[in-house]
Amino acid sequence: MSIHFKENNNYFVLIFWLLFAKSLQLRFETFTFRFFYDKVQVANRKGKIVLMKYDRLQEILKQLNNTGSVKVTDLSKMLNVTEETIRKDLATLEKEKKLKRVRGGAYQPKTLDKEVPVLLRETMLKEEKQNMAGKCLQFIEDGESVALDSSTTSLSIATLLSMTTLKITVISNSLDIANVLKDHKSIKLIIIGGNFRNVTHSFIGVNAQNVISRYLIDKAFISSSGISLHIGPTDYSEEESLIRKQFLQQSEKNYLVVDHTKFDFRTIHLIDDFSHISTIITDQKPSPEWMHFFQNNNIQLIY
């Protein structure tokens, strides 16, 4: 009886190991299938290889480390997935606090400088900025000196100016504006030098402020990161705010050009109070409270 029991026991052990081995084989085959299917699922339809989500996230982080910012459209083309997939990937990384999402992409905010990089800001509210720039051009006349700050809104103004025959002097601390206007035959271009700030492609610092103080400017067009009813226009960067303030102080007429998203929002550095602002140019009609404020303070509103 004992021998028969041992034989049965060995038989059950054998069956157990066979089932266990079969289970391992199935698990391995399932893992292998899922891995390779995820790698080639788009290749079957479009002839392109698609990375798994983990690999996509690592590639996105790699691009962020290299450039500081990424665009949804660029990532979609590079990784061969839809823009919606990229947005979900960016949302995942934002939850992990590895990036900050904005409209059209994402960036890595620095500890002390949280401003959106210029390459991303150029894609945000692009049509609205072009419309505001068109309104600004109505105030610029031949023979005038015009200051343009390093905002992407001012870059839109410069782009429109490059298509005109206006004979003016443009003073700016923006490298991008310099590139847009450098070949214009009737525009005298003065670029304010100083310390180069990569995130905005601009020149800042005490030397830049000192140079601006030597000029008498007819009109200044500046933007801001936010505009607060009881404080004024504010900026993320202290040094950019000082450059903008210097432009305002040297100019006879000052135009604050801000889209609707800047209203009722403030950052840490005050540019100046509203007493130095002649006109507000925006893309939408502000709230009744703002309308009342502009009227009481004799500030012209264009929208």
Side-chain angles (χ1 to χ4, degrees):
M1 292 294 294
S2 62
I3 295 175
H4 182 67
F5 175 78
K6 288 181 179 180
E7 289 176 351
N8 286 340
N9 191 41
N10 291 337
Y11 175 76
F12 285 122
V13 170
L14 178 62
I15 293 297
F16 170 79
W17 281 109
L18 287 173
L19 290 174
F20 180 70
K22 189 67 175 177
S23 175
L24 286 177
Q25 181 183 4
L26 288 172
R27 288 173 180 268
F28 177 77
E29 290 176 352
T30 301
F31 171 79
T32 304
F33 172 76
R34 287 178 178 175
F35 178 82
F36 284 103
Y37 175 77
D38 193 68
K39 289 285 188 181
V40 300
Q41 56 181 333
V42 178
N44 292 332
R45 299 191 296 270
K46 297 182 179 179
K48 297 179 180 179
I49 300 299
V50 176
L51 297 177
M52 290 190 298
K53 182 173 182 177
Y54 173 82
D55 295 322
R56 288 200 309 272
L57 297 182
Q58 295 306 305
E59 187 61 33
I60 291 172
L61 290 175
K62 179 181 177 182
Q63 293 297 317
L64 275 171
N65 289 330
N66 290 338
T67 62
S69 64
V70 290
K71 295 181 182 179
V72 170
T73 52
D74 293 344
L75 290 174
S76 174
K77 295 175 183 178
M78 183 179 72
L79 299 176
N80 302 317
V81 293
T82 64
E83 292 186 5
E84 181 61 27
T85 297
I86 294 298
R87 292 190 188 96
K88 291 179 180 179
D89 289 345
L90 295 179
T92 298
L93 291 171
E94 186 175 46
K95 289 179 181 179
E96 297 175 1
K97 301 185 183 303
K98 294 181 178 179
L99 53 77
K100 176 69 174 178
R101 284 190 300 161
V102 293
R103 184 177 176 179
Y107 69 103
Q108 283 183 322
K110 297 179 181 179
T111 304
L112 299 176
D113 192 347
K114 301 185 183 300
E115 186 164 2
V116 181
V118 66
L119 294 178
L120 274 180
R121 286 189 289 117
E122 287 177 4
T123 67
M124 298 165 63
L125 300 173
K126 192 170 184 178
E127 184 176 346
E128 288 84 349
K129 291 174 183 177
Q130 290 173 345
N131 290 335
M132 290 188 295
K135 295 169 186 174
C136 292
L137 239 63
Q138 300 173 16
F139 296 96
I140 301 175
E141 300 177 0
D142 274 331
E144 292 185 328
S145 57
V146 176
L148 299 177
D149 67 2
S150 61
S151 65
T152 51
T153 303
S154 286
L155 181 60
S156 296
I157 298 173
T159 301
L160 291 184
L161 284 173
S162 70
M163 304 174 190
T164 71
T165 57
L166 283 170
K167 298 178 181 180
I168 60 174
T169 298
V170 172
I171 304 169
S172 180
N173 67 320
S174 167
L175 180 62
D176 293 334
I177 287 177
N179 287 328
V180 168
L181 297 178
K182 61 183 174 64
D183 295 322
H184 198 284
K185 294 181 179 179
S186 62
I187 292 180
K188 179 181 179 182
L189 182 62
I190 299 174
I191 295 300
I192 306 302
N195 299 326
F196 184 69
R197 184 174 181 235
N198 186 271
V199 70
T200 51
H201 294 179
S202 62
F203 298 97
I204 55 174
V206 176
N207 290 337
Q209 295 172 51
N210 290 337
V211 173
I212 296 172
S213 67
R214 300 172 190 167
Y215 293 100
L216 298 177
I217 303 169
D218 292 314
K219 295 171 181 175
F221 295 85
I222 72 161
S223 187
S224 66
S225 302
I227 174 174
S228 176
L229 187 65
H230 302 294
I231 298 175
T234 58
D235 204 285
Y236 281 112
S237 165
E238 180 180 12
E239 292 182 305
E240 291 282 4
S241 69
L242 292 173
I243 292 293
R244 292 185 168 106
K245 182 174 184 177
Q246 194 70 55
F247 276 140
L248 295 178
Q249 291 179 347
Q250 299 303 124
S251 175
E252 183 177 349
K253 289 187 178 180
N254 295 318
Y255 300 79
L256 179 63
V257 191
V258 287
D259 64 72
H260 66 279
T261 65
K262 306 296 179 62
F263 283 79
D264 299 311
F265 176 75
R266 71 176 188 180
T267 56
I268 189 172
H269 300 290
L270 176 66
I271 296 174
D272 210 335
D273 56 47
F274 285 110
S275 64
H276 291 100
I277 304 298
S278 309
T279 303
I280 301 286
I281 297 176
T282 186
D283 61 325
Q284 292 182 16
K285 183 178 180 179
S287 68
E289 187 178 15
W290 276 103
M291 298 288 288
H292 183 69
F293 175 81
F294 292 143
Q295 185 177 6
N296 286 346
N297 288 274
N298 198 30
I299 298 175
Q300 184 182 18
L301 175 65
I302 307 293
Y303 62 91

